[in-house]
Coordinates of all heavy atoms in Angstrom, one line a residue:
M93 N -12.6 7.6 0.5 CA -11.4 6.9 0.3 C -11.6 5.7 -0.7 O -12.6 5.0 -0.6 CB -10.9 6.2 1.6 CG -10.4 7.2 2.6 SD -8.8 7.8 2.1 CE -8.1 8.2 3.7
T94 N -10.7 5.6 -1.6 CA -10.8 4.5 -2.5 C -10.0 3.3 -2.0 O -8.8 3.5 -1.6 CB -10.1 4.9 -3.9 OG1 -10.8 6.1 -4.4 CG2 -10.2 3.8 -4.9
P95 N -10.6 2.1 -1.9 CA -9.8 0.9 -1.4 C -8.7 0.6 -2.4 O -8.9 0.7 -3.7 CB -10.8 -0.2 -1.4 CG -12.2 0.6 -1.3 CD -12.0 1.8 -2.0
F96 N -7.5 0.3 -1.9 CA -6.4 0.0 -2.7 C -6.7 -1.1 -3.7 O -6.4 -1.0 -4.9 CB -5.2 -0.4 -1.9 CG -3.9 -0.6 -2.6 CD1 -3.1 0.5 -2.9 CD2 -3.5 -1.9 -3.0 CE1 -1.9 0.4 -3.5 CE2 -2.2 -2.0 -3.6 CZ -1.5 -0.9 -3.8
R97 N -7.5 -2.1 -3.4 CA -7.8 -3.2 -4.2 C -8.6 -2.8 -5.4 O -8.7 -3.5 -6.4 CB -8.5 -4.3 -3.4 CG -9.8 -4.0 -2.9 CD -10.4 -5.1 -2.0 NE -11.3 -4.5 -1.0 CZ -11.0 -4.0 0.1 NH1 -9.8 -3.9 0.5 NH2 -12.0 -3.6 0.9
D98 N -9.3 -1.6 -5.3 CA -10.2 -1.2 -6.4 C -9.4 -0.3 -7.5 O -10.0 0.1 -8.5 CB -11.3 -0.3 -5.8 CG -12.4 -1.2 -5.1 OD1 -12.3 -2.4 -5.2 OD2 -13.2 -0.6 -4.4
L99 N -8.2 0.0 -7.1 CA -7.3 0.8 -8.1 C -6.9 -0.1 -9.2 O -6.6 -1.4 -9.0 CB -6.1 1.3 -7.4 CG -6.3 2.3 -6.3 CD1 -5.0 2.7 -5.6 CD2 -7.0 3.6 -6.8
P100 N -6.7 0.3 -10.4 CA -6.1 -0.4 -11.5 C -4.7 -0.9 -11.2 O -4.0 -0.2 -10.4 CB -6.0 0.6 -12.7 CG -7.0 1.7 -12.3 CD -7.0 1.8 -10.9
F101 N -4.4 -2.1 -11.7 CA -3.1 -2.7 -11.4 C -1.9 -1.7 -11.5 O -1.0 -1.6 -10.7 CB -2.9 -3.9 -12.2 CG -1.6 -4.6 -11.9 CD1 -1.3 -5.3 -10.8 CD2 -0.5 -4.4 -12.9 CE1 -0.1 -5.9 -10.6 CE2 0.7 -5.0 -12.7 CZ 0.9 -5.8 -11.6
E102 N -2.0 -0.9 -12.6 CA -0.9 0.0 -13.0 C -0.8 1.1 -11.9 O 0.3 1.5 -11.5 CB -1.1 0.7 -14.4 CG -1.1 -0.2 -15.5 CD -2.4 -1.1 -15.7 OE1 -3.4 -0.8 -15.1 OE2 -2.3 -2.1 -16.4
E103 N -1.9 1.6 -11.3 CA -1.9 2.6 -10.3 C -1.4 1.9 -9.0 O -0.6 2.5 -8.3 CB -3.3 3.2 -10.1 CG -3.4 4.3 -9.0 CD -2.5 5.5 -9.3 OE1 -2.0 5.6 -10.4 OE2 -2.5 6.3 -8.4
Q104 N -1.8 0.7 -8.7 CA -1.3 0.0 -7.5 C 0.3 -0.1 -7.7 O 1.0 0.2 -6.6 CB -1.8 -1.3 -7.4 CG -3.3 -1.4 -7.0 CD -3.8 -2.8 -6.8 OE1 -3.1 -3.8 -6.9 NE2 -5.1 -2.9 -6.7
T105 N 0.8 -0.4 -8.8 CA 2.2 -0.6 -9.0 C 2.9 0.7 -8.9 O 4.0 0.8 -8.2 CB 2.5 -1.2 -10.4 OG1 1.8 -2.5 -10.5 CG2 4.0 -1.4 -10.7
R106 N 2.3 1.8 -9.4 CA 3.0 3.1 -9.3 C 3.1 3.6 -7.8 O 4.1 4.0 -7.3 CB 2.2 4.1 -10.1 CG 2.8 5.6 -10.1 CD 1.9 6.6 -10.6 NE 0.8 6.8 -9.8 CZ 0.9 7.6 -8.6 NH1 2.0 8.1 -8.2 NH2 -0.2 7.9 -7.9
L107 N 2.0 3.3 -7.1 CA 2.0 3.7 -5.7 C 2.9 2.9 -4.8 O 3.7 3.4 -4.0 CB 0.6 3.6 -5.1 CG -0.4 4.7 -5.5 CD1 -1.9 4.3 -5.1 CD2 -0.1 6.0 -5.0
R108 N 3.0 1.6 -5.1 CA 4.0 0.8 -4.4 C 5.4 1.2 -4.6 O 6.3 1.2 -3.8 CB 3.8 -0.7 -4.8 CG 2.6 -1.3 -4.1 CD 2.5 -2.8 -4.4 NE 1.5 -3.4 -3.7 CZ 0.6 -4.2 -4.1 NH1 0.6 -4.6 -5.4 NH2 -0.4 -4.7 -3.3
A109 N 5.7 1.6 -5.9 CA 7.1 2.0 -6.3 C 7.4 3.3 -5.5 O 8.5 3.5 -5.0 CB 7.2 2.2 -7.8
A110 N 6.5 4.2 -5.5 CA 6.7 5.5 -4.9 C 6.9 5.3 -3.4 O 7.7 5.9 -2.7 CB 5.5 6.5 -5.1
Y111 N 6.1 4.4 -2.8 CA 6.2 4.2 -1.3 C 7.5 3.5 -1.1 O 8.2 3.8 0.0 CB 5.1 3.2 -0.9 CG 5.0 2.9 0.6 CD1 4.7 3.9 1.5 CD2 5.4 1.6 1.0 CE1 4.8 3.6 2.9 CE2 5.4 1.3 2.3 CZ 5.1 2.3 3.3 OH 5.1 2.0 4.6
E112 N 8.0 2.6 -1.9 CA 9.3 1.9 -1.7 C 10.4 3.0 -1.7 O 11.3 2.8 -0.8 CB 9.5 0.9 -2.8 CG 10.7 0.1 -2.7 CD 10.9 -0.9 -3.8 OE1 9.9 -1.6 -4.2 OE2 12.0 -1.1 -4.3
D113 N 10.3 4.0 -2.5 CA 11.3 5.0 -2.5 C 11.3 5.8 -1.2 O 12.4 6.1 -0.6 CB 11.1 6.0 -3.6 CG 11.5 5.4 -5.0 OD1 12.2 4.4 -5.1 OD2 11.0 6.0 -6.0
E114 N 10.1 6.1 -0.7 CA 9.9 6.8 0.6 C 10.5 5.9 1.7 O 11.2 6.5 2.6 CB 8.4 7.1 0.8 CG 8.2 7.8 2.1 CD 8.8 9.2 2.2 OE1 9.0 9.9 1.2 OE2 9.0 9.6 3.3
M115 N 10.2 4.7 1.8 CA 10.6 3.8 2.9 C 12.1 3.5 2.9 O 12.6 3.2 3.9 CB 9.8 2.5 2.8 CG 8.3 2.6 3.3 SD 8.1 3.3 5.0 CE 7.8 5.0 4.7
A116 N 12.7 3.7 1.7 CA 14.2 3.5 1.7 C 14.9 4.5 2.6 O 16.0 4.2 3.0 CB 14.7 3.6 0.3
R117 N 14.2 5.6 2.9 CA 14.8 6.6 3.8 C 14.3 6.5 5.3 O 14.6 7.3 6.1 CB 14.5 8.0 3.2 CG 15.0 8.2 1.9 CD 14.7 9.6 1.4 NE 13.3 9.8 0.9 CZ 12.9 9.5 -0.3 NH1 13.7 8.9 -1.2 NH2 11.6 9.7 -0.6
Q118 N 13.5 5.5 5.6 CA 12.9 5.3 6.9 C 13.5 4.1 7.6 O 14.1 3.2 7.0 CB 11.4 5.1 6.8 CG 10.7 6.2 6.0 CD 10.7 7.6 6.7 OE1 10.7 7.6 7.9 NE2 10.8 8.7 6.0
T119 N 13.2 4.1 8.9 CA 13.5 2.9 9.7 C 12.7 1.7 9.3 O 11.5 1.8 9.1 CB 13.3 3.2 11.2 OG1 14.0 4.4 11.6 CG2 13.8 2.1 12.1
T120 N 13.3 0.6 9.2 CA 12.7 -0.7 8.8 C 11.9 -1.4 9.9 O 12.2 -1.0 11.1 CB 13.6 -1.7 8.1 OG1 14.6 -2.0 9.1 CG2 14.2 -1.1 6.9
T121 N 11.0 -2.2 9.7 CA 10.3 -3.0 10.7 C 9.9 -4.3 10.2 O 9.8 -4.5 8.9 CB 9.0 -2.2 11.1 OG1 8.3 -3.0 12.1 CG2 8.0 -2.1 10.0
C122 N 9.9 -5.3 11.0 CA 9.5 -6.7 10.6 C 8.0 -6.9 10.8 O 7.4 -7.9 10.4 CB 10.3 -7.7 11.4 SG 12.0 -7.7 10.9
S123 N 7.4 -6.0 11.6 CA 6.0 -6.2 12.0 C 5.0 -5.9 10.8 O 5.0 -4.8 10.2 CB 5.6 -5.2 13.1 OG 4.2 -5.1 13.3
M124 N 4.2 -6.9 10.4 CA 3.3 -6.8 9.3 C 2.3 -5.7 9.6 O 1.9 -4.9 8.8 CB 2.7 -8.1 8.9 CG 1.7 -7.9 7.7 SD 2.6 -7.4 6.2 CE 3.7 -8.7 5.8
D125 N 1.8 -5.7 10.9 CA 0.8 -4.7 11.3 C 1.4 -3.3 11.1 O 0.7 -2.4 10.7 CB 0.4 -4.9 12.8 CG -0.5 -6.1 12.9 OD1 -1.1 -6.6 11.9 OD2 -0.5 -6.7 14.0
E126 N 2.7 -3.1 11.5 CA 3.2 -1.8 11.4 C 3.5 -1.4 9.9 O 3.3 -0.2 9.5 CB 4.6 -1.8 12.1 CG 5.4 -0.4 12.0 CD 4.7 0.7 12.7 OE1 3.8 0.5 13.6 OE2 4.9 1.9 12.4
K127 N 3.9 -2.4 9.1 CA 4.0 -2.1 7.7 C 2.7 -1.6 7.0 O 2.6 -0.7 6.2 CB 4.5 -3.3 6.9 CG 6.0 -3.7 7.2 CD 6.4 -4.9 6.6 CE 7.9 -5.2 7.0 NZ 8.4 -6.4 6.3
I128 N 1.6 -2.4 7.4 CA 0.3 -2.0 6.9 C -0.1 -0.6 7.3 O -0.6 0.2 6.6 CB -0.8 -3.1 7.2 CG1 -0.5 -4.3 6.5 CG2 -2.2 -2.6 6.9 CD1 -1.3 -5.6 7.0
S129 N 0.1 -0.3 8.6 CA -0.2 1.0 9.2 C 0.6 2.0 8.5 O 0.0 3.1 8.1 CB 0.1 0.9 10.7 OG -0.2 2.2 11.2
R130 N 1.8 1.9 8.3 CA 2.6 2.9 7.6 C 2.2 3.1 6.2 O 2.1 4.3 5.7 CB 4.1 2.5 7.6 CG 4.8 2.6 9.0 CD 6.2 2.1 8.8 NE 6.9 2.1 10.1 CZ 8.2 1.8 10.2 NH1 9.0 1.6 9.1 NH2 8.7 1.8 11.4
F131 N 1.9 2.1 5.4 CA 1.5 2.2 4.0 C 0.1 2.9 4.0 O -0.1 3.8 3.2 CB 1.4 0.8 3.4 CG 1.3 0.8 1.9 CD1 1.9 1.8 1.1 CD2 0.5 -0.1 1.3 CE1 1.8 1.8 -0.3 CE2 0.3 -0.1 -0.2 CZ 1.0 0.9 -0.9
N132 N -0.8 2.5 4.9 CA -2.1 3.2 4.9 C -2.0 4.6 5.3 O -2.6 5.5 4.6 CB -3.0 2.5 5.9 CG -4.4 2.8 5.8 OD1 -4.9 3.0 4.6 ND2 -5.1 3.0 6.8
A133 N -1.2 5.0 6.2 CA -0.9 6.4 6.5 C -0.3 7.2 5.4 O -0.7 8.3 5.2 CB 0.0 6.5 7.8
W134 N 0.6 6.6 4.6 CA 1.2 7.2 3.4 C 0.2 7.4 2.3 O 0.2 8.4 1.6 CB 2.4 6.4 3.0 CG 3.1 7.0 1.8 CD1 4.1 7.9 1.9 CD2 3.0 6.6 0.5 NE1 4.6 8.2 0.7 CE2 3.9 7.4 -0.2 CE3 2.2 5.8 -0.2 CZ2 4.0 7.4 -1.6 CZ3 2.3 5.7 -1.6 CH2 3.2 6.6 -2.3
L135 N -0.7 6.4 2.2 CA -1.8 6.5 1.1 C -2.9 7.5 1.5 O -3.5 8.0 0.5 CB -2.4 5.1 0.9 CG -1.5 4.1 0.2 CD1 -2.1 2.7 0.3 CD2 -1.3 4.5 -1.2
M136 N -3.2 7.7 2.7 CA -4.4 8.5 3.1 C -4.4 9.8 2.4 O -5.5 10.3 1.9 CB -4.5 8.6 4.6 CG -5.3 7.5 5.2 SD -6.0 8.1 6.8 CE -5.0 7.1 7.9
P137 N -3.3 10.6 2.4 CA -3.4 11.9 1.7 C -3.7 11.9 0.3 O -4.2 12.8 -0.3 CB -2.0 12.5 2.0 CG -1.5 11.8 3.1 CD -2.1 10.4 3.1
Q138 N -3.6 10.7 -0.3 CA -3.9 10.5 -1.7 C -5.3 10.0 -1.9 O -5.7 9.6 -3.0 CB -2.8 9.5 -2.3 CG -1.4 10.2 -2.2 CD -0.4 9.2 -2.6 OE1 -0.2 8.9 -3.8 NE2 0.4 8.7 -1.7
G139 N -6.0 9.8 -0.8 CA -7.4 9.4 -0.9 C -7.6 7.9 -1.1 O -8.6 7.4 -1.6
V140 N -6.6 7.1 -0.7 CA -6.6 5.7 -0.8 C -6.4 5.0 0.6 O -5.7 5.5 1.4 CB -5.4 5.2 -1.7 CG1 -5.4 3.7 -1.9 CG2 -5.5 5.9 -3.1
S141 N -7.2 3.9 0.7 CA -7.1 3.2 2.0 C -6.5 1.8 1.7 O -6.6 1.2 0.6 CB -8.4 3.0 2.7 OG -9.3 2.3 1.8
F142 N -5.9 1.2 2.7 CA -5.2 -0.1 2.5 C -5.5 -0.9 3.8 O -5.3 -0.4 4.8 CB -3.7 0.1 2.3 CG -3.0 -1.2 2.0 CD1 -2.9 -1.6 0.6 CD2 -2.4 -2.0 3.0 CE1 -2.2 -2.8 0.4 CE2 -1.8 -3.2 2.7 CZ -1.7 -3.6 1.4
T143 N -5.8 -2.2 3.6 CA -6.1 -3.1 4.8 C -5.3 -4.4 4.5 O -4.8 -4.6 3.3 CB -7.5 -3.4 4.9 OG1 -8.0 -4.2 3.8 CG2 -8.4 -2.2 5.1
E144 N -5.3 -5.3 5.4 CA -4.7 -6.6 5.2 C -5.3 -7.4 4.1 O -4.6 -8.2 3.4 CB -4.8 -7.4 6.6 CG -4.1 -8.7 6.6 CD -4.1 -9.4 7.9 OE1 -4.3 -8.8 8.9 OE2 -4.0 -10.6 7.8
D145 N -6.6 -7.1 3.8 CA -7.3 -7.8 2.7 C -6.6 -7.5 1.4 O -6.7 -8.2 0.4 CB -8.7 -7.5 2.7 CG -9.5 -8.1 3.8 OD1 -9.0 -9.1 4.4 OD2 -10.6 -7.5 4.2
D146 N -6.0 -6.3 1.3 CA -5.4 -5.8 0.1 C -4.1 -6.6 -0.2 O -3.5 -6.5 -1.3 CB -5.1 -4.4 0.1 CG -6.4 -3.5 0.1 OD1 -7.2 -3.9 -0.7 OD2 -6.5 -2.7 0.9
L147 N -3.6 -7.4 0.7 CA -2.4 -8.2 0.5 C -2.6 -9.3 -0.4 O -1.7 -9.8 -1.1 CB -1.8 -8.6 1.8 CG -1.4 -7.6 2.8 CD1 -1.0 -8.3 4.2 CD2 -0.1 -6.9 2.3
R148 N -3.9 -9.7 -0.5 CA -4.2 -10.8 -1.4 C -4.5 -10.3 -2.8 O -5.3 -9.4 -2.9 CB -5.4 -11.6 -0.8 CG -5.1 -12.2 0.5 CD -6.3 -12.8 1.2 NE -6.1 -13.1 2.5 CZ -6.2 -12.3 3.6 NH1 -6.5 -11.0 3.3 NH2 -5.9 -12.7 4.8
P149 N -3.9 -10.8 -3.8 CA -4.2 -10.3 -5.1 C -5.6 -10.6 -5.7 O -6.2 -11.5 -5.1 CB -3.2 -11.0 -6.0 CG -2.7 -12.2 -5.3 CD -2.9 -11.9 -3.8
K150 N -6.1 -9.8 -6.5 CA -7.4 -10.0 -7.2 C -7.4 -11.4 -7.9 O -6.4 -11.7 -8.5 CB -7.8 -8.9 -8.1 CG -8.1 -7.6 -7.5 CD -8.4 -6.6 -8.6 CE -8.5 -5.2 -8.1 NZ -8.9 -4.3 -9.1
R151 N -8.5 -12.0 -7.8 CA -8.6 -13.2 -8.6 C -9.3 -12.8 -9.9 O -10.3 -12.1 -9.9 CB -9.4 -14.2 -7.9 CG -8.8 -14.7 -6.6 CD -9.2 -16.0 -6.3 NE -8.4 -16.4 -5.1 CZ -8.0 -17.6 -4.9 NH1 -8.3 -18.6 -5.7 NH2 -7.3 -17.8 -3.8
L152 N -8.8 -13.3 -11.0 CA -9.4 -13.0 -12.3 C -10.4 -14.0 -12.7 O -10.5 -15.1 -12.4 CB -8.3 -13.0 -13.4 CG -7.2 -11.9 -13.1 CD1 -6.1 -12.1 -14.2 CD2 -7.7 -10.5 -13.1

């Protein structure tokens, strides 16, 4: 599994946009833990993992 934070910015942006489209058809949640869990489950088939640490942007 490739950590989300290790992906190029452009790939992160592409995945977030695709996920946003998918979630527009799903039930919403306010739980950050649930949001992270859903995003991680969606990314897994693509060989990418996501954790709470990925919420913080990379420092240049």
Side-chain angles (χ1 to χ4, degrees):
M93 289 285 206
T94 302
F96 188 81
R97 67 185 154 275
D98 291 345
L99 296 174
F101 178 76
E102 295 78 16
E103 181 65 6
Q104 289 181 8
T105 301
R106 185 191 70 75
L107 287 169
R108 283 185 172 135
Y111 181 71
E112 186 177 317
D113 289 343
E114 177 67 26
M115 287 300 101
R117 296 182 286 276
Q118 304 295 325
T119 305
T120 60
T121 181
C122 292
S123 166
M124 185 56 71
D125 289 339
E126 181 65 22
K127 289 177 181 182
I128 291 170
S129 177
R130 289 180 184 186
F131 191 39
N132 195 38
W134 184 82
L135 288 170
M136 268 206 254
Q138 299 172 70
V140 178
S141 64
F142 187 89
T143 68
E144 188 175 334
D145 292 335
D146 294 311
L147 295 173
R148 295 172 195 84
K150 290 182 188 179
R151 297 206 176 214
L152 300 176

